[in-house]
Amino acid sequence: METTQKYYIDVVLPLNLWNNFTYEVNQKEYDFLQKGMRVAVSFGKQRLQTAIVVKKHRQTPLHYGAKPILHIIDNQPIINDYQWELFRFVSSYYLTPPGLVIKAALPGSFMLQSETYLMLNDGAIEKPDLSDDEYLVIEALQLQKMVNIKALQDLFGTKKVFKIVNTLIKKGLVRSMQEVKEKYKPKTETYLQLSEQWQGENINELFESLSKNAEKQRQILLQFFSLQRQGKPVLKKQLLEQSGAGLFSLKTLIGKGILFEIKTNIDRINFEAASEQIKELSVSQKTILDEIKSLFLKNKPVLLHGVTSSGKTEIYIHLIKDIIKQGKQVLYLVPEIALTTQLVQRLTKIFGNNIAVYHSKYSQQERREVWLNVLHKQQTAQIVLAARSGIFLPFQNLGLIIVDEEHETSYKQVQPDPRYQARDLAVLLHKIHQAPVLLGSATPSIESYFNTRRQRYNIVHLQERFGGVQLPQIEIIDLKDAIRRKRTKGNFAENVLEAIEKTLQAKKQVIVFQNRRGYAPVAQCEDCGHVMECPHCDVSLTLHKHQHKLKCHYCGYQTEVPVLCPVCGNPSINYKGIGTEQIQNDLQIFFENAVVDRLDSDTTRGKNSFAHILSKFQNSETDILVGTQMLVKGLDFANVGLVVVMNADQLLYYPDFRADERSFQMLMQVAGRAGRQKEQGKVMIQTFNPDHPVLQLVLKTDYESLYKAQIVQRRELYYPPYSKMINFIIKDKNLQKCQEAAEWLQKSFANSFEKVLGPSDALIPRIKNRFIKEVLIKLPPSKTLPEQKRHILKVLNTFHNIAYFKSVQVVIDVDPY
């Protein structure tokens, strides 16, 4: 007796699972399917999932019966071989299951969701004893046959609806079913064309065929021919607007067969055609460009160490031009969404609609379209300007990778998993695609600079500003001395306010940097000392005066500003510390005639709010711009004469081994916003500790000395780049269990690793009612990384199999900070 040949596929599911799963397919499906295609499958109890095919084979699974797939979603793969190599590395290096890597990489609209529907059971028309709510559900099902659970949630509330549905299922009256819903809908535009019978010499007959009362139809046709003569397809919306006629008249012409509609899918993001030529480079820029091109031939990453306003972007543009002439793709990474606003304007003027933009402020539909355009090598995505997630795009013919401001912490993914570092993955892409990678910064990360010293990277230096403009004059303001001599006004030293006044009188603009949003970070009762804290997190609530709210910046909790202290009942609440909102208010009082705006995460929640605020400042509609670190990441403003740093000490005394490095980088980048064209700018840094070594290095613009001091310290304390570190973040609602779990992990790791630190409280010991402990491992160089990480996964697997620790969450952060 012949056995039927069976066909199988292995798939990866977007879940926190390390294993792939096998499903059965028929021969036609087997022949059609390719690695990287999506299929809809049933997983678990009636759960539908979008899975990605990773392998085809004929080997029957040993431990379970393979289910059939539900249907095939794609006609061709949406993930290519280059990406699979990248995903494998990310999963292995960052200790993250492959499904979570793919979930993080793909735009959400690719992961189809199943929706649950209710249907009446056959013969279940008799209504036994029902509650009023149950009766309403049965009535709805008799009218509509199927009802979406979401519709019932809107009616009854999420918690109540499941109780009602479960009761009806138990009574045998209804059953549930699931259906996969495609979340993506293409954007379309409707064009109009003239029917063949009226083309050519029949136009006069066409007008004669219309009745005398059809004046609006005549207007539509006249406007149609006018637009058609411009040589462009006639857009339905444009025709109606310019003819002044109504939709009814147009539908009449379509009904008569004179005009017909054509619907076309279009990209949601389009840019204008190129309007500018590429600028000529200076002599020093040309020298650097030639040097970079020659170093690319050595097949190593290149670090461009160029001072602020030295014209690094112009060098990038010339490199991009050469690559796209070859028909290749370019990935241009920037650390902050705010940066893309100015860069898009700058690059589209030169490269037109060859540019696609990809970051989290764009909708899932927009990101999906960029993904597919990159995959299919469309001209509209030849240059991709992206935040860190752009590293996962499906490049087919990558010719250049640029990582601008490579030192920025924003390239590190904080949550969810995988907690990758996009700069490091860009170097991996360089190896996968054999495409040159250029890292640019005025203040490189210690690791990147160390790699140039070890000959792993090549380096070029650009030490003069474009146009010969001098670096800004930097002045350290001693706040302690100013307060002692009563030379302050509010949060400002008087000489800082005088400098702002002079700058405004000279018709120049001012940037004020304060790396804390809100009005005041602490609300404290002066009588009893009580500090208003978040009930869910171990942090003080921040006053947002404009909204009259106290807010937690970690969990989103907010409450009305209290009039009386909730502990002692006295009206003695005082607000301490300063945020961007307070500074904006103060400056508006000090300089009544000035326009003061603010750039922080409170004012930039909308998709286009970044662009709006920056555009106003760029067009000199704003005199003073107050902002957080968003302001310092490579933005280019021509008319800024003065930059003020409100309190440098907030940066200098952060509990992190990178504090000095990051303080120097932040202050130098802030300083770099001043005097970028023609005249020398000025920077004033307020501090209570003017003799701090980092501030003295900032005064001298001395990166080299900072690097030397940091590298000696890190060698002694065994910090990166002399070690690899993995931080384990342990979370649970029960403090004792959290502590016991952390101690168990620490002891288990200590059996195999020499340098295990902790357990210790996290910087914020409790967030969203979950206590947080940390255990840190410094990995020795004596063993290979894969070997050490395999051992770590074994320990974690044992931990997760302990019933007592079932509720404990362990987050793995490879290369933290």
Side-chain angles (χ1 to χ4, degrees):
M1 182 176 176
E2 283 188 19
T3 56
T4 307
Q5 180 67 60
K6 293 193 174 182
Y7 301 86
Y8 299 99
I9 57 169
D10 287 348
V11 301
V12 59
L13 294 163
L15 303 171
N16 189 15
L17 301 167
W18 281 95
N19 295 333
N20 293 334
F21 291 85
T22 302
Y23 284 83
E24 189 175 350
V25 292
N26 60 41
Q27 186 175 353
K28 282 186 178 178
E29 291 170 334
Y30 183 86
D31 292 339
F32 179 77
L33 282 167
Q34 298 176 55
K35 182 180 178 181
M37 283 185 176
R38 293 174 299 157
V39 292
V41 300
S42 170
F43 184 77
K45 293 183 178 178
Q46 296 186 326
R47 288 175 65 195
L48 302 186
Q49 294 283 352
T50 301
I52 311 290
V53 178
V54 292
K55 184 182 176 183
K56 299 194 300 184
H57 61 89
R58 305 221 181 147
Q59 190 173 347
T60 305
L62 297 175
H63 304 296
Y64 57 89
K67 296 178 185 177
I69 65 168
L70 299 177
H71 65 266
I72 297 170
I73 299 170
D74 297 312
N75 291 322
Q76 55 186 308
I78 61 164
I79 296 173
N80 63 36
D81 288 341
Y82 296 115
Q83 287 173 291
W84 283 117
E85 191 172 345
L86 175 65
F87 294 166
R88 277 194 296 273
F89 175 86
V90 171
S91 175
S92 170
Y93 186 84
Y94 293 102
L95 300 175
T96 303
L100 293 186
V101 175
I102 287 174
K103 187 177 180 181
L106 288 171
S109 61
F110 277 122
M111 309 314 288
L112 306 187
Q113 290 184 332
S114 61
E115 292 188 8
T116 305
Y117 291 85
L118 287 184
M119 299 177 68
L120 280 175
N121 271 331
D122 295 338
I125 304 301
E126 293 290 327
K127 300 186 186 72
D129 189 22
L130 297 176
S131 69
D132 291 343
D133 290 338
E134 291 165 0
Y135 184 82
L136 279 174
V137 174
I138 296 295
E139 288 270 299
L141 288 171
Q142 286 177 332
L143 291 170
Q144 299 183 37
K145 295 186 179 179
M146 290 174 61
V147 174
N148 191 326
I149 286 283
K150 284 184 181 176
L152 296 178
Q153 284 175 325
D154 294 338
L155 185 62
F156 297 109
T158 302
K159 289 184 179 178
K160 193 175 181 183
V161 75
F162 289 112
K163 184 179 178 182
I164 298 167
V165 169
N166 284 333
T167 304
L168 289 173
I169 290 172
K170 285 178 183 176
K171 289 179 179 179
L173 296 174
V174 302
R175 68 181 188 274
S176 65
M177 64 167 288
Q178 289 197 316
E179 187 174 308
V180 174
K181 289 289 181 183
E182 171 69 88
K183 291 186 284 185
Y184 172 75
K185 289 184 180 178
K187 185 177 180 181
T188 60
E189 279 191 344
T190 305
Y191 294 90
L192 293 164
Q193 280 195 8
L194 192 66
S195 296
E196 279 188 29
Q197 69 178 96
W198 297 112
Q199 290 179 9
E201 298 176 359
N202 298 329
I203 293 176
N204 290 333
E205 290 180 30
L206 169 58
F207 281 98
E208 288 171 6
S209 71
L210 299 175
S211 66
K212 293 179 180 179
N213 298 326
E215 189 57 37
K216 293 288 184 184
Q217 294 175 36
R218 284 190 176 83
Q219 287 177 20
I220 289 173
L221 286 174
L222 285 168
Q223 190 62 47
F224 174 85
F225 290 121
S226 174
L227 291 169
Q228 197 179 50
R229 278 196 293 273
Q230 295 175 18
K232 295 180 180 178
V234 178
L235 192 61
K236 178 180 177 180
K237 182 171 67 175
Q238 184 185 15
L239 179 61
L240 286 171
E241 285 173 359
Q242 295 188 10
S243 68
L247 186 60
F248 178 79
S249 300
L250 178 59
K251 284 185 175 178
T252 303
L253 288 170
I254 293 169
K256 290 177 179 178
I258 296 171
L259 296 175
F260 64 92
E261 294 181 332
I262 298 175
K263 286 193 176 182
T264 308
N265 290 355
I266 60 165
D267 286 348
R268 284 176 164 81
I269 308 166
N270 274 295
F271 298 110
E272 298 295 323
S275 59
E276 288 185 8
Q277 296 296 314
I278 296 177
K279 292 178 183 175
E280 283 292 317
L281 297 179
S282 66
V283 174
S284 58
Q285 284 176 319
K286 282 179 182 175
T287 303
I288 292 296
L289 178 64
D290 292 340
E291 193 176 347
I292 289 170
K293 287 179 179 178
S294 65
L295 288 174
F296 278 166
L297 299 175
K298 297 183 179 181
N299 203 27
K300 285 183 184 178
V302 177
L303 175 64
L304 170 55
H305 182 198
V307 297
T308 55
S309 195
S310 57
K312 293 187 290 293
T313 305
E314 293 304 325
I315 292 172
Y316 300 156
I317 287 170
H318 278 259
L319 288 168
I320 290 168
K321 180 191 74 171
D322 291 345
I323 295 299
I324 64 171
K325 274 184 181 176
Q326 300 170 32
K328 294 183 177 180
Q329 298 169 306
V330 175
L331 173 60
Y332 190 152
L333 289 177
V334 291
E336 191 72 55
I337 293 167
L339 266 177
T340 62
T341 305
Q342 277 196 330
L343 274 174
V344 166
Q345 293 171 356
R346 197 164 172 183
L347 295 177
T348 50
K349 285 177 182 175
I350 295 166
F351 297 110
N353 205 26
N354 284 25
I355 293 178
V357 180
Y358 191 81
H359 57 63
S360 59
K361 286 277 183 177
Y362 275 46
S363 70
Q364 293 293 348
Q365 284 86 354
E366 289 168 335
R367 296 174 80 191
R368 176 193 177 112
E369 285 171 1
V370 172
W371 181 285
L372 293 174
N373 286 342
V374 171
L375 180 67
H376 299 138
K377 295 189 283 188
Q378 296 294 324
Q379 195 171 351
T380 52
Q382 201 172 359
I383 305 162
V384 180
L385 186 61
R388 61 177 175 262
S389 57
I391 205 79
F392 294 117
L393 285 166
F395 293 100
Q396 301 271 52
N397 189 21
L398 192 57
L400 175 65
I401 306 154
I402 295 168
V403 185
D404 198 15
E405 309 296 347
E406 66 86 31
H407 65 277
E408 277 292 348
T409 57
S410 305
Y411 283 124
K412 170 71 175 175
Q413 167 80 354
V414 177
Q415 61 180 1
D417 292 339
R419 299 186 170 213
Y420 62 92
Q421 165 56 263
R423 177 197 64 218
D424 297 344
L425 293 185
V427 174
L428 178 67
L429 276 192
H430 145 75
K431 294 176 181 175
I432 292 172
H433 288 267
Q434 292 299 298
V437 59
L438 179 64
L439 314 174
S441 176
T443 53
S445 64
I446 297 296
E447 284 87 347
S448 292
Y449 209 73
F450 177 79
N451 282 329
T452 66
R453 295 298 175 91
R454 291 294 177 94
Q455 309 299 314
R456 295 171 189 157
Y457 296 178
N458 289 311
I459 187 168
V460 291
H461 298 275
L462 185 56
Q463 298 297 350
E464 63 178 59
R465 282 186 148 193
F466 184 77
V469 178
Q470 287 182 287
L471 287 167
Q473 174 193 347
I474 300 175
E475 184 179 348
I476 306 293
I477 309 298
D478 187 348
L479 276 178
K480 190 166 51 179
D481 181 62
I483 291 169
R484 182 175 56 81
R485 294 193 293 123
K486 297 183 180 177
R487 297 275 297 166
T488 60
K489 195 173 178 183
N491 297 301
F492 293 85
E494 285 184 357
N495 52 344
V496 171
L497 292 175
E498 290 166 6
I500 293 174
E501 180 70 43
K502 286 180 183 176
T503 305
L504 296 177
Q505 287 174 357
K507 303 297 181 186
K508 294 284 185 180
Q509 293 169 293
V510 179
I511 285 177
V512 179
F513 171 73
Q514 170 63 17
N515 205 24
R516 184 169 278 167
R517 62 190 172 100
Y519 188 88
V522 178
Q524 185 175 30
C525 176
E526 291 293 286
D527 289 338
C528 70
H530 173 69
V531 175
M532 312 295 167
E533 292 188 338
C534 174
H536 313 296
C537 310
D538 288 340
V539 291
S540 60
L541 293 171
T542 298
L543 172 65
H544 288 251
K545 194 172 183 179
H546 179 69
Q547 298 173 336
H548 201 68
K549 299 278 188 187
L550 290 176
K551 292 185 178 182
C552 174
H553 289 172
Y554 288 86
C555 72
Y557 169 83
Q558 57 183 352
T559 184
E560 295 294 323
V561 174
V563 177
L564 304 175
C565 172
V567 174
C568 69
N570 291 331
S572 308
I573 298 172
N574 189 26
Y575 295 98
K576 300 178 178 180
I578 54 172
T580 50
E581 189 182 333
Q582 183 178 160
I583 294 166
Q584 182 186 20
N585 286 5
D586 290 349
L587 288 168
Q588 200 66 78
I589 293 167
F590 296 149
F591 306 101
E592 292 180 7
N593 298 321
V595 178
V596 185
D597 210 343
R598 178 160 50 97
L599 184 76
D600 58 30
S601 55
D602 291 328
T603 61
T604 55
R605 297 199 184 279
K607 177 179 171 181
N608 299 313
S609 47
F610 274 114
H612 179 66
I613 294 168
L614 294 178
S615 176
K616 281 171 60 184
F617 193 67
Q618 199 163 12
N619 296 331
S620 296
E621 296 169 32
T622 304
D623 300 306
I624 305 173
L625 185 59
V626 180
T628 56
Q629 60 180 335
M630 295 178 184
L631 271 176
V632 307
K633 299 183 179 182
L635 294 171
D636 186 10
F637 301 113
N639 197 39
V640 175
L642 174 66
V643 171
V644 176
V645 178
M646 290 302 299
N647 188 353
D649 303 313
Q650 288 178 347
L651 303 171
L652 295 168
Y653 297 105
Y654 195 77
D656 177 2
F657 76 91
R658 296 187 194 273
D660 284 0
E661 175 192 1
R662 291 194 175 151
S663 299
F664 180 87
Q665 288 167 341
M666 186 78 76
L667 293 170
M668 289 306 304
Q669 291 291 333
V670 172
R673 301 315 106 205
R676 293 175 69 87
Q677 293 186 21
K678 296 179 183 177
E679 298 174 23
Q680 184 184 25
K682 185 171 185 177
V683 180
M684 303 182 85
I685 302 173
Q686 296 191 150
T687 175
F688 287 95
N689 189 5
D691 297 322
H692 194 285
V694 170
L695 294 180
Q696 295 306 309
L697 292 174
V698 169
L699 271 176
K700 301 171 191 172
T701 319
D702 190 354
Y703 174 84
E704 194 69 33
S705 294
L706 173 89
Y707 171 78
K708 287 175 181 175
Q710 284 294 296
I711 212 69
V712 168
Q713 192 179 84
R714 295 193 190 183
R715 186 189 299 117
E716 290 173 355
L717 298 174
Y718 201 55
Y719 277 119
Y722 292 100
S723 72
K724 288 283 184 183
M725 299 197 309
I726 303 179
N727 195 32
F728 298 88
I729 304 160
I730 300 101
K731 302 180 181 181
D732 196 82
K733 291 183 178 180
N734 183 297
L735 176 57
Q736 183 180 343
K737 188 184 285 190
C738 186
Q739 179 67 29
E740 289 174 3
E743 288 173 356
W744 189 98
L745 284 171
Q746 187 274 332
K747 287 174 184 173
S748 299
F749 290 137
N751 291 332
S752 305
F753 301 100
E754 289 180 21
K755 298 185 183 298
V756 181
L757 307 180
S760 60
D761 284 337
L763 188 61
I764 310 294
R766 181 175 62 105
I767 296 176
K768 296 182 180 177
N769 289 321
R770 301 176 82 185
F771 296 95
I772 308 170
K773 303 288 180 182
E774 294 184 350
V775 174
L776 181 73
I777 301 178
K778 294 181 181 179
L779 299 178
S782 54
K783 296 180 182 177
T784 64
L785 271 177
E787 182 185 350
Q788 294 176 85
K789 288 179 178 177
R790 278 195 296 271
H791 180 73
I792 287 169
L793 288 176
K794 282 181 184 177
V795 171
L796 289 173
N797 189 46
T798 304
F799 173 84
H800 290 307
N801 285 326
I802 298 172
Y804 179 65
F805 293 139
K806 218 68 175 173
S807 64
V808 179
Q809 181 189 5
V810 180
V811 177
I812 308 168
D813 191 1
V814 178
D815 300 337
Y817 313 111

